[in-house]
């Protein structure tokens, strides 16, 4: 089963949930944890990982030979990212907008376009323990999109693992859509604030549009407000678990440790989350 962990914005506790859930479930199942938050992966901080594999991720950027180019404009017309324009002097590629999709090369009638590989980041794979494998992507600083890295990382999904947990980038943009492709369930991590609710709505809209069943984990929960509960009730989204707003949990997190290791009752709660998800995806 593939479970994606999402949050509408950063800092809501997505990493806490992903790492604690993966570690707890690895006590009863074989698990693979993938960190696709490629702009700022930090799941690895919580584990002692022996990395065994590293690979480069490249984009193929178009290069135009303007002596051959006949200024027909086909490349520009077919580029859905506005990354190539044609002037009197020839065609020009805007590298920061280019997704390396290869369409311009395909449509060029005179083969004026060739491609040059450019490294945009890397993938690292390793093992945390016998039952818990790990993978992460890392986007080079200044690169505009990590979609290709996420796609390449997901090719390393271990089909022998009983559970794959994918810690997504926050938000609801292209990298999140790429993370969500082919997952069975999405856990929406949120916090009981107005901002939390706003971003939860965006995340829920996205998973609904992609027909992915979902449930909510409320992090830093307090009895002061019920805005998340009200939204969940209105939309019929199950609340899978609540992590209270407690100093002792925040302290353990800030030390780069797993709170489930220190409070075993939460291990039971995370296992119950998994049991509920199994029922929901049936
Ligand atoms: S490779 Fe794709 S994104 Fe880049 S310029 Fe060509 S058509 Fe546009
Ligand atoms: S499609 Fe080829 S020939 Fe036409 S403008 Fe682009 S590079 Fe030039």
């Amino acid at each position: 089963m593939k479970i994606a962990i999402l949050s509408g914005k950063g800092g809501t506790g997505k990493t806490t949930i992903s790492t604690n859930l993966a570690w707890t479930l690895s006590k009863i199942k074989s698990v693979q944890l993938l960190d696709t938050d490629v702009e700022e992966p930090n799941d690895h901080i919580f584990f002692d990982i022996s990395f065994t594999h590293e690979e480069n991720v490249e984009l193929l950027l178009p290069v135009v030979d303007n002596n051959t180019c006949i200024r027909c404009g086909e490349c520009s017309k077919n580029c859905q990212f506005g990354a190539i324009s044609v002037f009197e002097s020839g065609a020009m590629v805007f590298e920061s907008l280019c997704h390396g999709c290869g369409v311009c090369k395909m449509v060029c009638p005179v083969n004026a376009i060739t491609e040059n590989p450019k490294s945009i980041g890397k993938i690292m794979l390793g093992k945390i323990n016998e039952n818990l494998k790990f993978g992460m992507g890392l986007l080079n600083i200044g690169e505009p999109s990590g979609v290709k890295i996420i796609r390449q990382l997901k090719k390393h999904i271990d089909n022998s693992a009983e559970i794959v947990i994918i810690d997504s980038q926050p938000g609801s943009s292209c990298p999140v859509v790429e993370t969500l492709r082919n997952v069975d369930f999405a856990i929406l991590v949120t916090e009981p604030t107005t901002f939390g609710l706003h971003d939860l709505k965006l995340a829920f809209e996205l998973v609904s549009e992609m027909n992915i069943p979902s449930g909510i984990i409320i992090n830093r929960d307090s009895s002061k407000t019920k805005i998340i509960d009200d939204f969940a009730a209105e939309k019929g989204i199950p609340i899978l678990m609540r992590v209270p707003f407690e100093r002792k949990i925040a302290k353990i997190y800030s030390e780069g440790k797993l709170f489930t290791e220190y409070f075993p009752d939460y291990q039971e709660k995370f296992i119950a989350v998994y049991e509920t998800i199994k029922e929901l995806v049936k």
Side-chain angles (χ1 to χ4, degrees):
M1 183 192 304
K2 299 183 195 73
I3 304 170
I5 317 287
L6 302 196
S7 70
K9 70 178 183 72
T12 43
K14 193 172 51 58
T15 303
T16 313
I17 300 303
S18 303
T19 50
N20 281 283
L21 179 66
W23 182 79
T24 301
L25 293 182
S26 75
K27 289 177 169 288
I28 53 164
K29 299 273 179 188
S30 59
V31 180
Q32 186 185 33
L33 172 63
L34 295 181
D35 193 347
T36 62
D37 189 357
V38 298
E39 285 181 24
E40 209 177 343
N42 50 17
D43 289 2
H44 62 285
I45 294 168
F46 293 82
F47 302 105
D48 183 15
I49 303 168
S50 35
F51 286 102
T52 50
H53 177 83
E54 190 173 313
E55 71 189 38
N56 198 24
V57 182
E58 292 176 338
L59 269 193
L60 290 175
L61 293 182
V63 179
V64 183
D65 174 2
N66 277 317
N67 291 322
T68 310
C69 168
I70 55 170
R71 290 35 167 187
C72 69
E74 282 305 306
C75 50
S76 175
K77 206 162 73 187
N78 286 282
C79 175
Q80 56 173 313
F81 303 103
I84 186 164
S85 294
V86 182
F87 305 98
E88 252 178 52
S89 56
M92 183 186 273
V93 178
F94 303 102
E95 289 192 4
S96 61
L97 299 176
C98 178
H99 282 54
C101 67
V103 167
C104 52
K105 181 175 187 280
M106 245 159 48
V107 299
C108 179
V110 293
N111 295 324
I113 299 179
T114 52
E115 289 172 328
N116 224 358
K118 181 195 177 201
S119 171
I120 58 161
K122 64 180 177 182
I123 280 170
M124 295 167 77
L125 301 173
K127 200 166 77 172
I128 295 165
N129 61 45
E130 278 317 305
N131 249 1
L132 183 52
K133 290 181 182 158
F134 181 75
M136 64 184 264
L138 188 60
L139 182 70
N140 289 346
I141 291 169
E143 290 300 333
S145 170
V147 168
K148 174 99 191 272
I149 297 180
I150 295 169
R151 203 173 293 146
Q152 198 163 315
L153 178 59
K154 285 181 74 178
K155 285 189 184 148
H156 291 281
I157 282 181
D158 179 2
N159 291 321
S160 69
E162 290 163 284
I163 306 167
V164 179
I165 293 169
I166 313 178
D167 183 5
S168 167
Q169 205 166 297
S172 50
S173 58
C174 300
V176 183
V177 173
E178 194 58 43
T179 294
L180 284 170
R181 276 188 217 290
N182 301 320
V183 304
D184 302 297
F185 192 85
I187 295 179
L188 312 175
V189 182
T190 188
E191 57 186 15
T193 62
T194 312
F195 286 132
L197 176 62
H198 173 267
D199 294 323
L200 172 66
K201 285 179 180 170
L202 294 179
F204 179 64
E205 228 171 80
L206 178 62
V207 293
S208 303
E209 208 154 289
M210 294 181 76
N211 284 323
I212 298 168
S214 62
I216 293 172
I217 290 185
I218 307 179
N219 192 32
R220 299 189 203 100
D221 191 30
S222 85
S223 52
K224 287 186 188 147
T225 168
K226 288 278 164 244
I227 51 173
I228 303 296
D229 295 76
D230 294 344
F231 175 70
E234 182 197 324
K235 298 291 181 187
I237 320 167
I239 293 181
L240 303 168
M241 186 176 154
R242 297 167 193 273
V243 181
F245 195 12
E246 278 181 13
R247 190 187 172 87
K248 59 182 186 183
I249 292 178
K251 186 170 177 292
I252 286 170
Y253 177 79
S254 70
E255 289 167 357
K257 296 173 184 162
L258 301 173
F259 71 87
T260 39
E261 222 177 322
Y262 294 84
F263 309 117
D265 49 322
Y266 278 99
Q267 293 178 25
E268 283 161 34
K269 290 182 185 176
F270 275 114
I271 288 169
V273 166
Y274 173 63
E275 294 300 332
T276 307
I277 292 173
K278 267 199 326 196
E279 288 303 312
L280 291 169
V281 297
K282 253 184 194 168

